[in-house]
């Protein structure tokens, strides 16, 4: 099949995608989310720094206030900020412009909830709008007078965007749970640059950048619960971090990112907040400042409230980052902070370019690194959930209750095969999650070997399948008879049980590369961009099983033939899958086999202490 597409067909496809986007936008506008809160503020000189730009501290206060109101609207009780994910500030905001902040609850778990925050800027005189940043904050309800936690009612997403955010919120929660362990593991790997390697540099002593400041918490700094606003604490922390950064670069720095942080305890009116900041490390054109906030009364020990890490840049007149002097850390503790800053920079890049990568931008295969495990797993599951949430699926064929749907977007073709099977969802999940058993029912799987058990939810397999050559009219043909050429895949398999009632079981697959398993001479290396199963419990303990595959060149001939009606390989494969599940539903040996596999010795740990 030629890769050339007629111009009118390209235009038609683009128009269809634009119509879908317009329909989604229309539904978003018509929808009224009961947790949504909007705030608009005109930027006055009192909100700005010396450059007449809105200070990040003030913006954080507005963001925290808006998100808190959204959380309390859903909870029906007072809420406090528990944590905030990474914030990347894309643009600055000038005096006279309008800040528009939108916050709504994406998902409520048992006693905590995720609030999505969108910040945009509006120029009233030029009728321009642009995005400034977005963030995800976690809020928890305050305990009752009896000390009990408040159980939150679940969120019922309505629009397409809300359903996607609701689904992926569970994956973001997993990332937060192991955030601190990632840095510890990266440092223990011994791959971080040692501080003594800077002996040849004309470095600045880190102690020269130290800042210490005390703030008295007054009623204007507190919320309606007499707790210090999380946004106010962050504003004070940004202030001392800015001073520390300025002492190193001897210029006015611009705050670019704030790493994920967690509030460790509350602060109240009357507390004294002790704020300490120091430059941890300076890279070629950016620097990291660490800030620690402690609260104390006239008597009693200091209480650790929060620690945050902020990345600054110094911009020249054309807006490009300037080169910065290097830093010489203090012995012991300073060296530890120096090395942790390098680890955080790597993790920051991983989060930015793995987690935030769109499906259309993702490479077919990414290098597997145990230190990136959480982010690759997140990308694997979220990509499948986003594919499943697409609205433009079209029924292509239906036979014996096996339905084949297609989704065409630009140059990407995806398929969805689904059927209701008389097997409980938990049993179907246990059978299908063990990928090694797929050779029993899928003729395309000649071999399936477990290479590595990453943790209890992530596995790496090597799969061998028959090779496919492009024949006439795009039909798949077998390789020359004299020597069969196989193809193999290195697949990251991520399995997820439902986080709450109504969620599906998920088995997500995507290709990774392993240095220990390079391509074989007599085996073509194939790629899987996004594939997997979702399993949803239906009435009478049956399961709606859906299989998704975003076509890569290795599987496109199979898919295009089924879609065109020239073959029915997916129909026969899905029927074989159904028969396999029904035959084993009373004796799900796969679950026991999987448990035995999980007990195989592995250098990695489970989620609670994941070695990443």
């Amino acid at each position: 099949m030629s890769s050339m597409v007629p111009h009118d067909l390209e235009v038609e496809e683009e128009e269809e995608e634009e119509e879908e986007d317009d329909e989604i936008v229309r539904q978003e506008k018509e929808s009224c989310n009961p947790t949504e809160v909007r705030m608009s503020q005109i930027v006055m000189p009192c909100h700005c720094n010396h450059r007449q730009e809105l200070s990040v501290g003030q913006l954080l206060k507005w963001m925290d206030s808006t998100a808190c109101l959204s959380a309390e609207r859903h909870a029906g009780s007072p809420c406090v900020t528990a944590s905030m994910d990474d914030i990347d500030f894309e643009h600055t905001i000038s005096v006279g412009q309008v800040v528009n902040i939108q916050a709504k609850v994406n998902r409520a778990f048992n006693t905590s909830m995720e609030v999505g925050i969108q910040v945009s800027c509006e120029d009233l005189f030029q009728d321009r709008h642009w995005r400034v940043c977005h963030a995800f904050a976690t809020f928890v309800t305050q305990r009752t007078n009896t000390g009990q936690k408040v159980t939150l009612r679940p969120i019922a997403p309505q629009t397409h965007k809300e359903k996607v955010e609701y689904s992926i919120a569970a994956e973001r929660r997993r990332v937060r749970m192991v955030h601190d362990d990632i840095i510890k593991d990266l440092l223990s790997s011994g791959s971080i640059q040692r501080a003594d390697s800077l002996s040849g540099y004309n470095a600045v002593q880190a102690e020269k950048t130290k800042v210490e400041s005390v703030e008295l918490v007054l009623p204007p700094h507190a919320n309606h619960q007499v707790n210090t606003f999380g946004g106010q604490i962050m504003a004070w922390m940004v202030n001392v971090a800015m001073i520390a950064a300025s002492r190193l670069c001897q210029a006015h720095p611009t705050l670019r990112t704030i790493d994920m942080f967690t509030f460790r305890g509350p602060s109240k009116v009357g507390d004294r907040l002790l704020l300490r900041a120091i430059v941890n490390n300076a890279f070629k054109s950016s620097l990291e400042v660490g800030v620690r906030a402690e609260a104390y009364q006239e008597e009693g020990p200091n209480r650790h409230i929060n620690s945050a890490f902020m990345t600054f840049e110094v911009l020249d007149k054309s807006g490009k980052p300037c080169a910065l002097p290097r830093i010489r850390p203090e012995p012991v503790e300073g060296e530890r902070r120096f090395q942790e800053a390098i680890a955080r920079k790597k993790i920051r890049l991983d989060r930015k370019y793995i987690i935030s990568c769109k499906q259309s931008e993702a490479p077919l295969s990414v290098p597997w690194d145990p230190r990136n495990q959480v982010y690759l797993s997140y990308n694997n599951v979220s990509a499948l959930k986003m594919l499943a949430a697409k609205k433009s699926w079209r029924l292509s064929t239906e036979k014996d209750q096996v339905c084949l749907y297609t989704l065409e977007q630009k140059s990407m073709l995806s398929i969805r095969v689904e059927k209701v099977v008389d097997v409980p969802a938990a049993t179907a999940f246990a059978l299908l999650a063990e990928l090694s058993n797929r050779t029993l029912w899928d003729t395309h799987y000649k071999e399936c070997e477990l290479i590595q058990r990453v943790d209890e939810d992530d596995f790496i397999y090597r799969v061998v399948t028959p090779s496919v050559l492009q024949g006439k009219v795009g039909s798949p043909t077998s390789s020359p008879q004299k020597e069969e050429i196989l193809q193999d895949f290195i697949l990251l398999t991520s399995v997820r049980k439902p986080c709450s009632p109504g969620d599906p079981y998920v088995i997500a697959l995507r290709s990774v590369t392993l240095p220990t398993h390079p391509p074989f001479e007599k085996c073509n290396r194939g790629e899987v961009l996004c594939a997997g199963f979702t399993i949803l419990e239906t009435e009478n303990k049956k399961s709606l099983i859906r299989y998704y595959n975003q076509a890569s060149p290795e599987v496109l001939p199979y898919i295009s033939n089924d879609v065109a009606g020239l073959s029915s390989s997916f129909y026969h494969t899905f029927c074989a899958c159904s028969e396999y599940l029904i035959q084993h539903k009373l004796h799900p040996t796969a679950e026991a086999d999987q448990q035995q596999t999980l007990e195989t010795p592995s250098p990695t740990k489970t989620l609670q202490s994941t070695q990443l």
Side-chain angles (χ1 to χ4, degrees):
M1 181 186 295
S2 173
S3 61
M4 297 296 293
V5 181
H7 176 69
D8 55 347
L9 183 57
E10 287 183 347
V11 172
E12 182 180 347
E13 289 178 353
E14 291 178 359
E15 289 177 350
E16 289 179 355
E17 291 179 15
E18 290 177 358
E19 289 177 0
E20 178 188 354
D21 293 340
D22 292 342
E23 176 66 17
I24 292 175
V25 171
R26 183 188 63 79
Q27 292 178 0
E28 297 288 340
K29 289 182 177 179
E30 292 180 357
S31 170
C32 182
N33 189 311
T35 70
E36 184 174 321
V37 174
R38 295 176 182 266
M39 176 187 289
S40 294
Q41 297 279 356
I42 190 165
V43 179
M44 305 298 290
C46 61
H47 303 140
C48 296
N49 56 25
H50 62 284
R51 292 193 297 262
Q52 296 299 297
E53 295 173 350
L54 175 65
S55 70
V56 175
Q58 181 62 59
L59 178 59
L60 289 170
K61 287 196 286 186
W62 287 339
M63 291 170 62
D64 185 60
S65 299
T66 310
C68 184
L69 292 173
S70 174
E72 291 184 343
R73 179 174 287 184
H74 176 70
S77 61
C79 297
V80 294
T81 313
S83 67
M84 187 82 74
D85 290 2
D86 296 0
I87 307 176
D88 292 295
F89 298 98
E90 302 174 17
H91 298 282
T92 57
I93 305 172
S94 301
V95 66
Q97 295 175 337
V98 174
V99 180
N100 295 311
I101 304 174
Q102 176 188 6
K104 57 183 175 182
V105 178
N106 291 332
R107 183 161 187 166
F109 300 97
N110 190 28
T111 58
S112 66
M113 67 197 102
E114 179 190 276
V115 180
I117 310 167
Q118 298 283 346
V119 181
S120 62
C121 184
E122 177 183 359
D123 191 316
L124 297 173
F125 304 104
Q126 299 183 12
D127 193 25
R128 291 176 54 241
H129 297 77
W130 60 91
R131 191 175 76 166
V132 175
C133 67
H134 72 278
F136 299 102
T138 302
F139 282 81
V140 295
T141 57
Q142 284 196 325
R143 295 177 181 266
T144 63
N145 296 332
T146 59
Q148 295 180 338
K149 293 184 177 180
V150 177
T151 302
L152 298 169
R153 67 181 188 277
I155 287 286
Q158 301 297 323
T159 66
H160 173 263
K161 184 177 180 181
E162 289 174 357
K163 291 176 181 177
V164 171
E165 293 292 353
Y166 176 91
S167 180
I168 301 178
E171 287 303 302
R172 285 191 288 263
R173 186 171 182 243
R174 289 173 60 91
V175 173
R176 295 182 197 112
M177 291 170 62
V178 296
H179 173 64
D180 292 337
D181 293 333
I182 299 175
I183 296 178
K184 295 177 183 178
D185 182 75
L186 190 57
L187 291 170
S188 65
S189 67
S191 60
I192 303 301
Q193 176 187 9
R194 302 295 302 181
D196 54 14
S197 64
L198 296 175
S199 57
Y201 289 96
N202 185 20
V204 176
Q205 296 292 331
E207 53 263 33
K208 292 183 178 180
T209 68
K210 276 187 177 180
V211 180
E212 185 172 304
S213 179
V214 177
E215 299 284 352
L216 175 61
V217 180
L218 299 173
H221 304 140
N223 56 23
H224 49 291
Q225 308 154 39
V226 202
N227 288 326
T228 313
F229 254 125
Q232 178 63 67
I233 297 175
M234 287 305 302
W236 284 331
M237 297 176 76
V238 168
N239 179 59
V240 294
M242 190 81 68
I243 297 173
S246 300
R247 286 180 175 173
L248 173 70
C249 57
Q250 296 182 340
H252 297 294
T254 299
L255 179 59
R256 285 304 188 199
T257 63
I258 300 178
D259 283 7
M260 183 186 302
F261 61 86
T262 301
F263 285 96
R264 300 172 182 270
S267 169
K268 296 182 179 296
V269 171
D271 279 346
R272 281 74 168 167
L273 249 61
L274 176 61
L275 305 155
R276 294 191 179 99
I278 190 171
V279 176
N280 291 331
N281 204 333
F283 306 99
K284 184 175 180 180
S285 58
S286 65
L287 60 93
E288 182 196 274
V289 178
V291 190
R292 180 183 175 95
E294 297 177 348
Y296 66 92
Q297 295 282 348
E298 294 180 359
E299 297 179 354
N302 290 8
R303 310 187 311 275
H304 185 191
I305 300 299
N306 190 8
S307 290
F309 303 97
M310 308 179 191
T311 303
F312 291 85
E313 292 178 344
V314 177
L315 306 179
D316 59 19
K317 294 182 179 179
S318 60
K320 296 181 179 179
C322 301
L324 299 174
R326 301 304 299 270
I327 196 81
R328 183 177 299 282
E330 299 171 295
V332 189
E333 281 300 304
E335 293 175 0
R336 176 186 60 81
R337 292 193 296 265
F338 179 93
Q339 293 161 24
E340 288 180 353
I342 299 175
R344 279 188 292 270
K345 183 180 181 181
K346 180 192 182 303
I347 292 169
R348 199 177 299 124
L349 291 173
D350 290 342
R351 283 202 295 261
K352 183 176 182 180
Y353 293 107
I354 296 179
I355 286 185
S356 61
C357 188
K358 297 180 181 178
Q359 278 183 278
S360 59
E361 300 171 349
L364 282 181
S365 185
V366 294
W368 169 256
D369 185 340
R371 293 165 294 186
N372 293 345
Q373 175 214 328
V374 169
Y375 309 125
L376 291 173
S377 177
Y378 173 97
N379 181 271
N380 191 18
V381 176
S382 62
L384 181 61
K385 288 184 174 182
M386 291 174 66
L387 180 62
K390 296 291 185 181
K391 303 291 289 185
S392 298
W393 290 100
R394 296 182 178 179
L395 180 62
S396 178
T397 60
E398 182 177 2
K399 182 179 180 181
D400 297 335
Q401 298 180 341
V402 177
C403 299
L404 173 64
Y405 293 82
T406 60
L407 174 67
E408 297 183 54
Q409 289 187 309
K410 295 183 180 179
S411 59
M412 188 71 66
L413 173 64
S414 304
I415 61 104
R416 183 182 89 204
V417 188
E418 68 179 42
K419 183 182 181 181
V420 175
V421 181
D422 189 12
V423 175
T427 303
F429 173 74
L431 291 165
L432 294 177
E434 179 49 65
L435 206 63
S436 300
N437 290 337
R438 189 161 170 176
T439 56
L440 300 177
W441 56 268
D442 191 344
T443 57
H444 301 103
Y445 272 48
K446 297 180 72 69
E447 299 177 19
C448 185
E449 170 194 4
L450 177 63
I451 297 175
Q452 181 180 349
R453 173 192 177 275
V454 181
D455 61 24
E456 61 184 5
D457 295 321
D458 296 282
F459 312 85
I460 299 179
Y461 290 89
R462 177 177 176 264
V463 176
V464 179
T465 69
S467 187
V468 177
L469 297 179
Q470 193 72 20
K472 296 182 179 180
V473 201
S475 62
T477 61
S478 60
S479 300
Q481 295 294 327
K482 57 183 180 181
E483 183 177 3
E484 182 183 13
I485 299 178
L486 302 176
Q487 63 180 356
D488 68 342
F489 302 81
I490 305 298
L491 298 180
L492 170 63
T493 304
S494 303
V495 298
R496 300 288 188 270
K497 294 181 180 179
C499 185
S500 59
D503 287 355
Y505 292 85
V506 175
I507 305 169
L509 309 171
R510 72 153 301 152
S511 286
V512 295
T513 58
L514 278 177
T516 56
H517 288 74
F520 293 86
E521 292 183 0
K522 297 183 179 181
C523 202
N524 295 326
R525 178 56 52 88
E527 307 282 355
V528 172
L529 175 58
C530 177
F533 294 90
T534 63
I535 306 169
L536 189 64
E537 187 86 39
T538 63
E539 58 183 10
N540 299 324
K541 293 186 177 181
K542 296 182 180 180
S543 302
L544 173 59
I545 300 178
R546 289 171 170 162
Y547 173 75
Y548 297 85
N549 198 314
Q550 200 167 49
S552 59
E554 289 74 21
V555 297
L556 184 58
Y558 290 118
I559 293 177
S560 59
N561 271 5
D562 275 42
V563 172
L566 299 179
S567 70
S568 54
S569 64
F570 276 101
Y571 165 76
H572 292 298
T573 301
F574 221 69
C575 288
C577 176
S578 301
E579 293 175 2
Y580 168 78
L581 295 176
I582 293 173
Q583 290 174 1
H584 291 78
K585 71 175 182 178
L586 297 179
H587 304 283
T589 57
E591 189 169 7
D593 294 342
Q594 185 182 31
Q595 183 62 33
Q596 183 177 1
T597 303
L598 294 181
E599 294 172 358
T600 303
S602 170
T604 55
K605 304 175 184 178
T606 57
L607 177 64
Q608 286 71 20
S609 56
T610 310
Q611 182 165 354
L612 303 174

